[in-house]
Amino acid sequence: MPKSENQKLKTLYVAKFLMENTDENHAVGASDIIDYLESECDIVAERRSIYRDIATLRDNFGMDIEGGQGGRYKLASRQFEIYDLKLLAECVHAAKFISQAKAIELVETICQFCSEYQAEELLHEVFLCDRVKTTRKGILNTISTIRMAMATKQDGKPHTPQKISFKYMKFSINDVHSMVERHHGKLYVVSPFQLLINEGNYYLLAYDDDAKAIHTYRVDRMKNVALIDAPREGADAFAEIDMLTYVTRVFSMYDGEQHRVMMRFTNDLLDTAIERFGTEHSTTYSADGDEHFVVSADVDISPQFFGWLCGLGSKVTIAHPKDVAELYQNHLKDVLKNYKI
């Protein structure tokens, strides 16, 4: 019988079969490989040639194949372990800026790095079923365009970072299932500097040409993002930003006039306070008796900050300054006005 054109690729097909059909918990025999080669690849093989192929894959290509002649074979380890792939899949599903359809597609791509048994486990495992996902498509293309604009090199050649334009979207009470353009379709022109991820959402830190200031934009609310043939502006304004402080202020629900605030917590809230205010040198912690501790931190005073305090109830009080405590008291009074019975 003449050899088929695929005969030269026999060793590669053996590797493919082992990668797709074996793992540390599943093995195959030489006869399984022979049957696969004949039925799927139009290749006739003898058992001894399979032994040689496996030896080549072990010795020349470093594949971790367990088993010996007359026994069963399995790929015992891979470039990515199943736990690594599960972590990647969980990250994909956790990202709110990735639509559900795109998340499934990406996880299917991840499955190419494991056996069919492990792939089935990845595809059918439940991930963060309560996560609110974006309904907009093309988010990854938007991110790619932004990265192109910020790049200092393209195709190995120097590139001057450039501006981008886009329309910014918001939800409308008339149809909560879709978004409408802000400011009647105004075209935003900004100079992009940094992409950030917070609580599953992608954000762009950019210099706003109109406001002459650094602003933050939700990437999944940016529409029709396009490159502008103009050099980026705002480098001096961006250089003045302390990223850690900026992220804490913007993404920790603070956005207002900054004050040095002393807050008194019950001891069970120490983890909560540290997660919110961090442990940088500007933030201090000290015990206050046996049941309380005090935090002094630079805080942007805003309704969002007061709302965070409300969630902790009577377990936290603003000890200083007095004017901030009074602002919080007035905030609580305004809330209570809506609950007169």
Side-chain angles (χ1 to χ4, degrees), residues 4 25 33 44 46 57 63-64 74-75 78 88 101 117 119 122 145 147 193 212 245 258 260 270 290 315 318:
S4 72
N25 297 314
I33 300 174
V44 176
E46 297 179 352
L57 293 173
M63 292 184 68
D64 186 14
K74 62 182 180 181
L75 191 58
R78 301 165 183 266
L88 291 174
Y117 308 103
L122 282 178
T145 301
R147 292 190 183 280
F193 280 95
K212 304 300 180 185
T245 301
Q258 191 172 97
R260 185 71 177 177
L270 180 58
D290 295 331
K315 293 187 173 185
I318 296 177

Side-chain angles (χ1 to χ4, degrees), residues 51-318:
Y51 300 155
R52 290 194 296 271
D53 290 333
I54 290 176
T56 298
L57 293 173
R58 282 172 174 163
D59 300 337
N60 294 46
F61 296 94
M63 292 184 68
D64 186 14
I65 303 171
E66 291 186 356
Q69 292 188 12
R72 296 178 67 78
Y73 299 92
K74 62 182 180 181
L75 191 58
S77 65
R78 301 165 183 266
Q79 183 178 6
F80 296 100
E81 298 297 332
I82 184 62
Y83 302 106
D84 300 327
L85 299 179
K86 282 186 176 182
L87 178 59
L88 291 174
E90 288 169 357
C91 290
V92 167
H93 281 284
K96 291 190 285 187
F97 63 87
I98 300 178
S99 68
Q100 189 63 37
K102 188 63 178 179
I104 294 173
E105 179 184 334
L106 290 173
V107 172
E108 288 176 346
T109 300
I110 293 173
C111 288
Q112 295 178 15
F113 293 94
C114 60
S115 72
E116 62 179 19
Y117 308 103
Q118 295 168 328
E120 184 176 0
E121 184 179 350
L122 282 178
L123 290 171
H124 290 85
E125 192 163 342
V126 177
F127 297 101
L128 300 169
C129 58
D130 61 343
R131 174 69 74 189
V132 177
K133 305 281 284 185
T134 184
T135 57
R136 295 197 58 221
K137 299 179 180 179
I139 303 302
L140 298 183
N141 290 335
T142 295
I143 294 171
S144 178
T145 301
I146 294 171
R147 292 190 183 280
M148 288 176 60
M150 296 189 298
T152 56
K153 284 187 177 181
Q154 287 188 3
D155 298 326
K157 299 179 181 179
H159 172 258
T160 301
Q162 59 195 109
K163 297 180 181 181
I164 61 172
S165 65
F166 58 90
K167 293 184 178 181
Y168 208 42
M169 311 294 288
K170 67 176 182 178
F171 284 102
S172 170
I173 194 61
N174 296 324
D175 182 4
V176 297
H177 300 292
S178 60
M179 290 189 286
V180 298
E181 297 172 354
R182 287 178 178 265
H183 303 303
H184 307 290
K186 169 191 172 182
L187 189 67
Y188 287 69
V189 176
V190 304
S191 298
F193 280 95
Q194 183 74 52
L195 284 166
L196 307 169
I197 297 180
N198 183 69
E199 295 186 351
N201 289 314
Y202 242 115
Y203 294 85
L204 171 65
L205 189 62
Y207 182 78
D208 187 311
D209 284 13
D210 292 336
K212 304 300 180 185
I214 298 291
H215 286 175
T216 306
Y217 305 91
R218 274 272 296 268
V219 171
D220 62 326
R221 296 183 181 178
M222 298 167 64
K223 175 185 176 183
N224 298 338
V225 178
L227 300 172
I228 294 180
D229 189 17
R232 185 171 64 182
E233 298 182 30
D236 292 341
F238 179 74
E240 293 177 359
I241 292 177
D242 175 14
M243 288 303 297
L244 181 60
T245 301
Y246 182 89
V247 170
T248 300
R249 290 176 59 184
V250 173
F251 296 126
S252 296
M253 301 186 297
Y254 312 143
D255 188 14
E257 184 177 349
Q258 191 172 97
H259 289 264
R260 185 71 177 177
V261 179
M262 180 184 294
M263 294 154 283
R264 186 171 184 262
F265 294 82
T266 56
N267 284 341
D268 59 305
L269 293 179
L270 180 58
D271 287 353
T272 300
I274 291 177
E275 288 176 359
R276 182 58 60 192
F277 301 108
T279 57
E280 296 301 309
H281 63 276
S282 60
T283 301
T284 62
Y285 297 82
S286 59
D288 185 14
D290 295 331
E291 299 181 356
H292 295 83
F293 67 92
V294 172
V295 179
S296 293
D298 295 324
V299 176
D300 285 9
I301 304 305
S302 67
Q304 290 81 7
F305 168 62
F306 290 152
W308 180 77
L309 290 178
C310 285
L312 302 178
S314 60
K315 293 187 173 185
V316 58
T317 56
I318 296 177

